[in-house]
Amino acid sequence: MGLGLLHFDGHVVDNDGRPLLESDDGEELMHVEPGVTVALGSRPMESPGTLYVTSRRVIWLSDADKGKGYVVDFLSLSLHAVLRDLETNPFPCIYTQIEKGDEDEESESSDSESNDDLELSKVTEMRLLASDVGKCILAIMHASYCFHLWQVH
């Protein structure tokens, strides 16, 4: 998986609509949080979906559009914070910064990529609006810590 925010292939889900994990790499589901709204960069908020925190990445799948989802691995998430600025967001949210891939790689991307894919590759911020922000950020921080600890060994 490359750096940055990527589309999650909507066909890679099990019968319950949960994302299929990379079990060959030991990926495990660590937390599920329904009713999470995502806002990418300056784009408007998406309709609510479900957030899946695994031992390797964060996956958000739309409840309204079954083929829509986003994924970012822990190597790309550089910051977690809780924003409580009600002028920016209607309620507290988790703010993350996303490290993009190498700029040279981006410029060499194929012409067959859609504009939406190219735009997504430029996203450097993601806000996750959840009813229980505290529980959600703890799950992401714990999974990220475990991932980075595992990477050291």
Side-chain angles (χ1 to χ4, degrees):
M1 171 176 280
L3 284 179
L5 183 70
L6 304 170
H7 283 285
F8 187 81
D9 185 350
H11 301 289
V12 188
V13 294
D14 64 16
N15 293 335
D16 295 326
R18 290 183 172 204
L20 294 175
L21 304 181
E22 297 173 358
S23 56
D24 292 347
D25 292 336
E27 184 178 31
E28 298 175 27
L29 185 61
M30 300 184 78
H31 183 75
V32 178
E33 189 72 31
V36 175
T37 304
V38 66
L40 305 175
S42 60
R43 294 179 179 192
M45 284 186 250
E46 304 274 355
S47 58
T50 303
L51 189 73
Y52 299 90
V53 179
T54 78
S55 55
R56 298 188 172 278
R57 55 198 175 150
V58 173
I59 302 167
W60 177 86
L61 300 178
S62 172
D63 290 340
D65 182 352
K66 295 300 180 191
K68 188 174 205 174
Y70 305 108
V71 60
V72 61
D73 67 19
F74 288 130
L75 292 175
S76 296
L77 287 177
S78 60
L79 174 74
H80 306 286
V82 176
L83 292 181
R84 299 183 191 281
D85 180 2
L86 299 181
E87 290 181 20
T88 310
N89 300 296
F91 47 88
C93 71
I94 300 168
Y95 171 79
T96 66
Q97 290 181 328
I98 300 170
E99 182 179 337
K100 299 182 301 180
D102 186 359
E103 294 296 328
D104 293 336
E105 285 179 24
E106 188 175 318
S107 64
E108 294 173 11
S109 62
S110 72
D111 292 334
S112 64
E113 278 188 292
S114 72
N115 284 341
D116 195 40
D117 287 338
L118 289 173
E119 287 300 311
L120 198 58
S121 72
K122 296 177 182 177
V123 171
T124 59
E125 298 176 332
M126 176 174 66
R127 294 182 316 280
L128 301 167
L129 293 85
S131 59
D132 192 340
V133 171
K135 181 170 63 172
C136 203
I137 197 167
L138 285 175
I140 294 170
M141 290 175 68
H142 174 73
S144 178
Y145 172 77
C146 292
F147 171 78
H148 289 292
L149 188 63
W150 180 81
Q151 291 289 315
V152 172
H153 292 100

